[in-house]
Every structure is written in structure tokens, then in C-alpha cells.
Amino acid sequence: MEDKNVKLSEMPTGSHCVIVRLSGHGGFRHRLMELGFVRGEKVRVVKNAPLLDPIEYEIMQGHVSLRRIEAQHIEVVPVTEEVAQQYTFNGTLTEEIERIMGENAKTITVALVGNPNCGKTSFFNHATGMREKVGNYSGVTVDSKLGVFRHRGYTFNFVDLPGTYSLTEYSPEELYVRKYIFDNHPDVVLNIVDASNLERNLFLTTQLIDMNVPMVMGLNMYDELEKNGDKLDIEALSTMFGFPIIPTVSSKGTGIDKVLDRIIDVYENLSGVTKHIHINYGSDLEKSIDLVKAEVKKDNTLSSEFPARYVAIKLLENDKVTVEDVSKLQNTENIRKVAAEQRAILEREYNEDSATVISGAKYGFIRGALQETYTIGRDRSKQRAYTVDNLLTNKWLGFPILIFFLWLMFQMTFTLGAYPQEWLEKFFGWLGGVCDNFMPDGIFKALIVDGIIAGVGSVFSFLPNILILFFFISILEDTGYMARAAFLMDKLMHKMGLHGKSFIPYIIGFGCSVPAIMATRTLENRKDRILTIITVPFMSCSARIPVYLLLISAFFDKYQGLVLMSIYLLGIVFAIVTSLIVKKISFKGISDQFVMELPPYRIPTLRNALVHMWDKSVQYIKKMGTVILLATIIIWALEYFPQHSPEIDSYTARIEQVEADPTVSPDVKEAQLRTLELDRTACQTENSYIARIGKFIAPVFRPLGFDWKMSVSLLTGVAAKEIVVSSMGVLYHADIEADENSKPLQASLKAQTWKEGKYAGQPVFTPLVAYGYMLFILLYFPCVAALSAVFREGGRKWGVFSILYNTGIAWLVAFLFHIVGMLF
């Protein structure tokens, strides 16, 4: 006997099972319940019809036939015939049945649905304890996220769906949410609504009511409604809508337990908790809805999958996805014909398209409901939450303030992060020294000291800088200023081929390109999405920061914040240039629109900012413990082997001679041995496997001023950009001769000289070469994870374009920069 849930339609003839869950929409679900298909009831599969459909079931001493498509909405747990025979219904269940149902009967799947900026993801974080990013602008949640937790003996599966303003066909998020609800049949839909913006938020609620799903409303940010002096009769509104409404403040965790309690009540179908209502759209619309609905109900396949009234409304709206879905079914000509006739009648009657007529009726219902339940405390024509826009989006001050905020973010990242960075560098230096002194010489010691500590430690020391950067980005997002940045940038970006909302993925791209590329789903126009997808990698993600900070701290003594900011701004410039080129070639003549909500400013919570920082630190450490550690070991091995060659062996022999020579004083011997050991290490490095790889590709990068070690480091950066620093830490460690107050890797880079050629004896690294190297890091194609996101979101064509174009432009720009710089 297995305790695993299956569909009733999958049960073989003669088998027994117990019902654990019913899915499907309200009317269809209630019809099944009326026939006896309720949770905890025993079912026996009697037989299939000759054509295998429908299927006869024995339930409650009666026999009922269901089509397979209907039986698919009933989840059951198979039981043995012995258990089934012991089953008696006397108001209680047998212990065995209770055991079988167990968690299956007490697992509730909840879909969180709401507008962007309503606090949905913040609610999700508090309820589940998960650490999903919360942002005060559209599109932070660009895919569903699952959180599992327990409450009052029930297991909750919380699914955080993308923020959406409606469930039409306007954006991928809207279609995603709609498809999820119908395909996955969550037990309860939790509609999170912004209490400070009820009229607009309730539009989505009316669409959920049309879908006839079990629902609970979390009336979020209720403290703002009370702060404004407004009053809302929640009980009356709940009665009017037909489901529980609970006031919450998700940023503080207030009201969340009450919401969970009401979800359990709805799930258990407690009497009086919910009632299904039909929104009255007026006599003309209702007449048209009833006529189309009557035709829909004639199709059993369609009416069992979707609420007939909902399908009728969508067909009257001429919703393309619904029309296409209906067209795929057989014998739906009459449905489409009646829907088209009624659309024409409505449009003649109202002199508007049918979708506008229905939207107007929805808002009419909302206004009527609020007129009876909602009282505005005072005139809010000039809301204080928006008055700061007079300064921050001012015609003359807006751009300087934006640039100042960006400069401050980068300067603080560098300045404040320098202290903990130095502590970590000293710690890893001390750790390497301890291991070097106490571990016996050999391959394992070399792996630990020269490989893992030198490589991973070099990357780990930049963790504080990355955390500070993410802290500032979190503050900009949570306050609502990020949307203002898009508002400020729209006209400029539009002229350059980009959408103003593209600025949001760009800012996210300063953290990581993968979520930034995914955030392009909030752009409705495909042209805007593609242009943003292929240009997001030009944003300097946090993985590049260790490279920038390493080189800037080593070769730029002054204006370090400005140097760092210049790299970020150049990334934006190249993104714009690329967008202009691609738009002229591939998207010529395609226009776009700019529609975006400007949410009220809100005071960011320290909790959200710290959670964001903690998330990024965990991700960063995980990457160091997996990808970076593995890459570091591989690089070390390629650099460590082979250990023997005629040149290396000759140095070994000379070292042994000096050690055995009794005529040399101890001080002279120590100096000679140190010189010989460094020479042997340098010789071994020059003859290593990685040196052979580096020297093979070096001619490609030599015109840019890069040596073979820099070339190899670029190659390893394909896996993750942080590995560039890790590689340099491994490749340059042997030449480190720094005093205790200097940073060893930076000192080693400064000490590098060309071994041969016309520049022999001259430094490899100069400010010119360091800046050119940073330009190449900025521009060449992103890491594997980001590339896979480009392929997934943009398609193969644009993925290949990103690899070839980005690498080509990186080489060209670094080459021109080096040539021009050498002239001066």
C-alpha cells in the first residue's frame, strides 16, 4: 500500500482509494461534493465504459459515473481491499484511514496573488521564514517561489506568484498567474491587497471572483489606511465579496497568523466562511454573459475545466488566449458565434470595445462597494508620500540627485568595505602562514596554502564590499526610488532605443545579471525585452566587483570611487550604444509605450535590508564553496604540475648544493636559498600546464597589454567572474614579497615585470593596463549562469549574438584604449 497521492482517473478497475482533495472551480467542485466526493470518503473503481470513458465508481453505497477529465480533479490515496472493508462511516474515521490521509489531508497549497507593490512577497517572507527579495517596484517576483511551513498542525505550501495588475493578456506575468491557478488548482488563493490603494487593487480581486476560486484577502498595509484617518467596514466588505478579509501589516508580521487561520477555515469548508457571489455587471452585460454562458455549459469538457461564467466574460472581452483555447476544442462553433454576436451588440450599444465596457462595469462595482464601506478621513489630493517627488524628480535637480546617489553607493562600497576587507586579507594571510609553518611540505600543503587559501581567500575578502553594495540597492528599491529612476531615465533611454523600465533590470544587474535578465519579463513589448536582455550583461554585476576593487586599490591611489563609478557608467554607455545598433538593424520602426506605477515612498525596514544582505552573503559563500573552490583547485593543479623538468631539476640541485655548503654564512645562505626557491617556482610556473595554455592564447591578448596569466584568468572567468581574482591569487602568489603592512596580491601585481621582448624589465601592470583589463572584464560575455538566462529568455539567436558581440566589442575597446593610452 502506498500513501502517495494520485488522480482518481488513474486508479485501475477494482481498486480502492480514499479521497484527500478536490480541485476545480466552485460550481463544478460543489457538484462533485453533492455526489459524495468529499475528503475522507472511500471510493471503489467499478469499471470503465467500453470506450474507456466514462468510469463507474462506487461511493456512499451508490454508483456514480464520471468522465476522466472530471475524475482528474479528485486526488486520492490508494488503500488495500482489507483496509477498505474495515472502513465504516459513523462520524469518525478508522485509525488506518486517518494514518493514510495524515499529511495528505492537512496539506494546503496557497497561491499568493496581488498587484506589484502590495507587500505580497513581504507577506510570503514573514509567513514562510524564507528570504525572498522584496522590492518596491513592479517585477521583483518574476517567477513563482515555493515556501513550506507548518501552522496549527497543517502543512502550508505557499506559492508566491508574480505581481500583476490583472489577469488579461497584457503581460507574461498575467498569463502566468492565470495559467497557474487553472492548471494547478491551489486549495486557496490568498489575494494580497494594498489597503492604501483599494480601488485599483480590487480590480484584480473582481477577476478572481469571476474565476470562482476559494479565496481569502489579506488587506495589507492597513496601518497606512489608519494613519490617513480613513475608515473601512471590513465585515461589510467581506460579506459583499463573499470571503474573509483580514487586515495585515506584512512588513511587521501583523495579522499573518489570523490570515493563516482563515485559510484553514476556507480549506475545511466551514459553514458560513465563504459564499460564491456573481458581480452584477448591469442588465445589458448580464444578458450577454448568460447567453454565452449557456453555450459554454453545453460543452462538458470546457465547463468542467473552467467556470462557465468566467469563460463567457473572457470571450466577451475578446481575450485572445481564451479565444484560442476555445478554438482548439471540438464543436465550439456555436460558442464563438454567440460570443461574437454579443460583443458586437455591446460595442454598438456602448460605442466602445467590449473589454472597456466590462472593465468599466468592474470599476463601477468596486466604487459602489467602497462607497458603502469606505470613508476617507481627510482630503488627500496632495499625498505627503509623493511630495518628495517635487525634489527627487525635479526638472533640474532630478538627474544630479540620481548621479549623487549612485556615486554615494559606489564610494561607500569602496570606503566602508575597505576596513573589513583588510581584516579578512590579514586573516587569510595569517591562516596561510600557520598552515605553511605547521604542515609538512608536499602536494597537500601546496594545495591548501597556494591553492585554496590563496585562491578562495582572495575572493572571500571582497564579501563586505558586495554586502554594502546590496544594502544600498535594497534601500533604493524598498523606498520606491528605483521607479523614479526609471521615470527620470525614460525619455533619454527611449531616444537611445531602450525603455525607461529597462533601467530597473539594469540596476538589478549591478547585483546579478540572472535575476536582472528574468526581470525583463515586466516589459510588455518583445523588442524592449530583447534589447534589455542583450544589454543587461554590460552592467557590472557583483561578481566583477572583486576584480575592480583589486585593481583599483593596487593602481589608483586617488579618486577610487570615481574610477569605480566610471566603469559602471561605461557599462551603461555600451548598453545604450548596443541597443541603438541592434534596434536600427533588427527592430526598426517598432514603437513602445511607457506605462509604470510610481508607488508611494515608504520607509525601508532594516529587516528587509539585512535579509537582502544575508541572502547575498549565503549565495556568495555557496558559490565560493562550490564553483569557485572547484575552479581554484583545477587552476592550482594546472599551475602546480608538472613538478619536474630539466630546468626545474637544475634549480633543485643548486638549492641542495647551497644547503650542503658549510663555507657559506647563515645570512648569505638564507638569501641565496630564497632567491633560488623563487627562481625555481617561477621556472615551474612558466613550464606548467596552465602556462602552456596561457602562452597558447596569449598572442590574442598581447595587443591589449595583457600577459599570459591575465589571459588565463579571463578564460577561467567564464565559469564565474569572481574566479578571475581567484586565478590571479593562484598564479601570482609565488612572486609575493611584500612587507607585513601591504596587501600581498596587490603587491605581487605591482611587482610583475615582462620577462622578454622590447618591454623586458618593465612593469606588466600599470594604471593603463589595469583600466583596460577592467574594461575587458566589463564587456566580454557574462558567466555561464547569465548566458543560460540569455538563451532561455531571448532564444538561441540572441544567446549566440551575446557571446560573439560582447567578446568582440571587449577586445576592440580594450585594444583601442591601450593603443591610445600608449600615445600619452
Side-chain angles (χ1 to χ4, degrees), residues 405-413 469 472-473 476 510:
F405 281 152
L406 293 177
W407 170 83
L408 180 66
M409 179 170 67
F410 299 133
Q411 186 64 42
M412 291 297 100
T413 296
L469 176 66
F472 279 98
I473 290 178
L476 292 178
F510 288 156

Side-chain angles (χ1 to χ4, degrees), residues 717-742:
V718 173
K721 291 297 179 281
E722 301 99 330
I723 297 177
V724 173
V725 172
S726 178
S727 302
M728 296 174 83
V730 172
L731 294 173
Y732 290 116
H733 76 279
D735 302 310
I736 297 173
E737 281 194 281
D739 62 63
E740 60 180 9
N741 295 320
S742 66

Side-chain angles (χ1 to χ4, degrees), residues 198-200 202 206 240-241 359-374:
L198 280 173
E199 187 173 346
R200 216 275 317 290
L202 289 176
T206 63
M240 202 175 296
F241 282 176
S359 294
K362 286 182 182 291
Y363 276 116
F365 168 79
I366 294 168
R367 293 187 188 104
L370 293 179
Q371 190 171 2
E372 295 184 31
T373 59
Y374 186 45

Side-chain angles (χ1 to χ4, degrees), residues 792-806:
R792 185 173 62 250
E793 300 295 326
R796 182 182 300 177
K797 169 187 172 182
W798 294 108
V800 173
F801 171 85
S802 185
I803 293 173
L804 299 179
Y805 174 81
N806 288 39

Side-chain angles (χ1 to χ4, degrees), residues 648-658:
I648 297 172
D649 292 342
S650 67
Y651 278 113
T652 303
R654 289 170 62 187
I655 290 172
E656 291 174 351
Q657 288 176 0
V658 171

